[in-house]
């Protein structure tokens, strides 16, 4: 009998889904990925990491509970990682109901599907520092009260408390990782870090003249996605289900991120960045800074990538992509120009 484990990953085509799948495959897991039907291919991140053909895809959608029940009963797994979401804060004001269905109710659809098929399956919920929103303490840990500031944060809070409730009501091994922002060369182009590093590459290569941004004074605790998916796995290996904050403990402004990213290619951000109020949000999360000491103690987890290393990794990857795109006139790995 094989001792290898199996996992079911929602959001497999996203940044974290791709990195997590790679990690699980390296550990010998059989990985099933929930793939939502789209009119164009969504699997570029899995191809980028060279694992596209190693994942088994299960067709379905978080808003279609029957597809989740069918998937989990055909393919019984040891662990479910719920990473699927409408994950972009700005979009959540434009599509608040969809965000509620996918990001909020989607988690309950999945928890119920697990309860009906195999309640011993371990469950990971992708909770977020956006739940702290208008921060109630200068440094946030597992005990900090929540105060979400967007439909996204509100929907994530519903999913978070649902996870706690399924644990307490049914004794399920269900845990949340409250992850602070984490980035990588696979980050969606609409998020500010990747928007900046992609812009830097275009401006360095002379095909873009300016970069329009919103609030440069916002501060985030930015880590590397590769480090953060390892924390997700560690959370599900714990004997008892529990919630953990995952963060670097360092906070940086969007302005300083710009400064570092432009400096990587020898440019001064002040010559290129302009402010466009259309990128301001109806309610802002001004500053986030996490305290991951519980994760350090109980999971033996700590970040391994500094912000400077992260910026260098992202700028260098975008420099290569933009060069490739110019040479082949193919738009490589960057879609919506938001
Ligand atoms: P991405 O936006 O890169 O990926 C989101 C994933 O969700 C995609 O695979 C997308 O599929 C999928 N998805 C969207 N709608 C549905 C649906 N209706 N049914 C099934 N799947 C759907 O997010 P990240 O990888 O960055 O983040 C992973 C998770 O962690 C998300 O839940 C996010 O909210 C959360 N999180 C992220 C943080 C970060 O800094 N990155 C911080 C804290 C939490 P498709 O490709 O088909 O659109
Ligand atoms: P979030 O923390 O999940 O909202 O991640 P984002 O990367 O989308 O945004 C981080 C911060 O950058 C927020 O406070 C935004 O207001 C700020 N920001 C400033 N300009 C921009 C921009 O042009 N795009 C995005 N996405 N965010 C911006």
């Amino acid at each position: 009998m094989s001792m290898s484990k199996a996992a079911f990953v929602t959001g497999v085509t996203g940044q974290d889904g791709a990195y997590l799948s790679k990690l699980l495959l390296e550990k010998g897991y059989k990985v099933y990925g929930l793939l939502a039907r789209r009119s164009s291919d969504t699997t570029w991140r899995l191809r980028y990491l060279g694992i596209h053909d190693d994942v088994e895809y299960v067709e379905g959608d978080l808003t279609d509970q029957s597809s989740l029940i069918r998937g989990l009963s055909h393919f019984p797994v040891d662990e479910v990682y719920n990473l699927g979401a409408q994950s972009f804060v700005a979009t959540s004001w434009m599509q608040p109901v969809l965000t509620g269905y996918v990001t909020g109710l989607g988690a309950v659809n999945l928890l119920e599907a697990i309860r009906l098929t195999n309640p011993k399956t371990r469950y990971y919920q992708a909770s977020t520092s956006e739940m702290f929103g208008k921060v109630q303490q200068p440094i946030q840990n597992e005990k900090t009260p929540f105060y979400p500031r967007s439909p996204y944060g509100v929907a994530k809070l519903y999913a978070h408390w649902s996870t706690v409730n399924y644990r307490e009501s049914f004794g399920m091994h269900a845990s949340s990782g409250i992850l602070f922002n984490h980035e990588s060369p696979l980050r969606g182009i609409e998020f500010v870090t990747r928007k900046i590093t992609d812009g830097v590459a275009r401006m360095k290569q002379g095909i873009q003249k300016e970069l329009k941004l919103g609030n440069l004074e916002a501060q985030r605790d930015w880590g590397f996605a590769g480090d953060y998916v390892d924390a997700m796995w560690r959370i599900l290996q714990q004997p008892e289900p529990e919630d953990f904050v995952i963060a670097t403990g360092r906070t940086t402004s969007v302005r300083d991120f710009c400064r570092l990213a432009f400096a990587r290619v020898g440019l001064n951000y002040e010559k290129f960045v302009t402010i466009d109020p259309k990128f301001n949000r109806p309610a802002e999360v001004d500053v986030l800074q996490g305290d991951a000491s519980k994760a350090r103690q109980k999971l033996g987890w700590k970040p391994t990538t500094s912000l400077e290393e992260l910026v260098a990794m992202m700028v260098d990857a975008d420099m290569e992509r933009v060069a490739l795109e110019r040479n082949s006139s193919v738009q490589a790995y960057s879609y919506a120009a938001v």
Side-chain angles (χ1 to χ4, degrees):
M1 200 184 86
S2 158
M3 294 300 286
S4 70
K5 288 190 187 171
F8 182 77
V9 180
T10 75
V12 72
T13 56
Q15 169 186 261
D16 292 5
Y19 280 109
L20 177 68
S21 297
K22 183 156 193 282
L23 179 98
L24 294 174
L25 288 165
E26 284 165 3
K27 292 186 185 293
Y29 279 66
K30 170 85 187 164
V31 177
Y32 298 95
L34 181 73
L35 190 64
R37 194 265 160 188
R38 303 282 188 250
S39 64
S40 347
D41 187 26
T42 53
T43 58
W44 65 274
R45 294 182 174 95
L46 297 148
R47 292 177 205 284
Y48 187 93
L49 296 182
I51 57 168
H52 178 268
D53 297 339
D54 302 324
V55 172
E56 180 148 345
Y57 301 98
V58 177
E59 186 174 336
D61 192 290
L62 279 167
T63 59
D64 183 337
Q65 198 186 40
S66 63
S67 69
L68 304 175
I69 295 172
R70 193 180 313 118
L72 289 173
S73 48
H74 279 194
F75 306 108
V77 292
D78 303 284
E79 299 169 7
V80 168
Y81 294 87
N82 184 30
L83 312 183
Q86 190 305 95
S87 69
F88 188 46
V89 170
T91 292
S92 77
W93 278 284
M94 305 311 289
Q95 300 182 47
V97 177
L98 175 118
T99 303
Y101 280 139
V102 178
T103 305
L105 276 174
V108 180
N109 277 337
L110 190 50
L111 284 160
E112 273 295 290
I114 292 171
R115 195 162 77 89
L116 289 165
T117 57
N118 179 9
K120 296 254 174 290
T121 302
R122 296 185 175 197
Y123 177 83
Y124 174 86
Q125 172 60 28
S127 286
T128 167
S129 52
E130 288 291 319
M131 301 187 311
F132 295 123
K134 186 171 175 185
V135 295
Q136 302 296 295
Q137 288 170 354
I139 297 182
Q140 301 88 50
N141 64 21
E142 294 80 5
K143 300 210 158 61
T144 305
F146 298 121
Y147 195 139
R149 290 276 274 175
S150 62
Y152 169 76
V154 172
K156 279 286 187 185
L157 198 50
Y158 174 75
H160 178 78
W161 281 117
S162 298
T163 304
V164 174
N165 186 248
Y166 272 67
R167 178 165 80 215
E168 295 177 355
S169 303
F170 307 117
M172 280 172 53
H173 194 296
S175 305
S176 277
I178 306 173
L179 271 54
F180 282 61
N181 296 50
H182 45 280
E183 320 296 311
S184 75
L186 300 186
R187 185 62 141 147
I189 196 90
E190 64 275 39
F191 292 88
V192 78
T193 55
R194 181 77 209 295
K195 182 175 170 182
I196 294 167
T197 61
D198 175 72
V200 162
R202 287 174 197 284
M203 286 174 278
K204 180 67 181 178
Q205 298 185 40
I207 54 172
Q208 190 175 316
K209 295 268 171 287
E210 63 172 346
L211 179 64
K212 293 182 181 171
L213 296 174
N215 176 15
L216 298 186
E217 312 316 325
Q219 289 172 259
R220 289 291 180 278
D221 178 333
W222 279 299
F224 170 50
D227 289 340
Y228 285 44
V229 297
D230 173 53
M232 297 176 184
W233 176 78
R234 287 174 191 245
I235 289 171
L236 287 204
Q237 309 318 305
Q238 290 292 294
E240 297 301 326
E242 272 186 85
D243 305 327
F244 290 90
V245 160
I246 303 295
T248 70
R250 171 178 168 190
T251 192
T252 307
S253 66
V254 173
R255 181 184 296 283
D256 283 335
F257 192 99
C258 286
R259 202 188 312 274
L260 285 169
F262 280 81
R264 175 79 186 162
V265 297
L267 298 177
N268 178 357
Y269 83 97
E270 289 171 290
K271 297 210 171 84
F272 298 92
V273 172
T274 54
I275 302 302
D276 185 336
K278 98 169 174 206
F279 294 110
N280 290 342
R281 286 157 182 198
E284 179 64 299
V285 173
D286 296 319
V287 53
L288 293 171
Q289 185 170 3
D291 167 12
S293 32
K294 180 180 173 189
R296 188 183 289 254
Q297 279 154 23
K298 287 205 167 174
L299 306 175
W301 180 87
K302 60 177 181 351
T304 67
T305 313
S306 71
L307 182 74
E308 287 74 12
E309 288 165 338
L310 176 66
V311 168
M313 188 196 310
M314 292 177 70
V315 171
D316 294 358
D318 277 322
M319 285 294 285
E320 267 182 44
R321 281 181 188 137
V322 170
L324 190 76
E325 188 183 306
R326 285 169 66 213
N327 293 335
S328 63
S329 66
V330 173
Q331 216 193 350
Y333 308 124
S334 56
Y335 298 128
V338 183

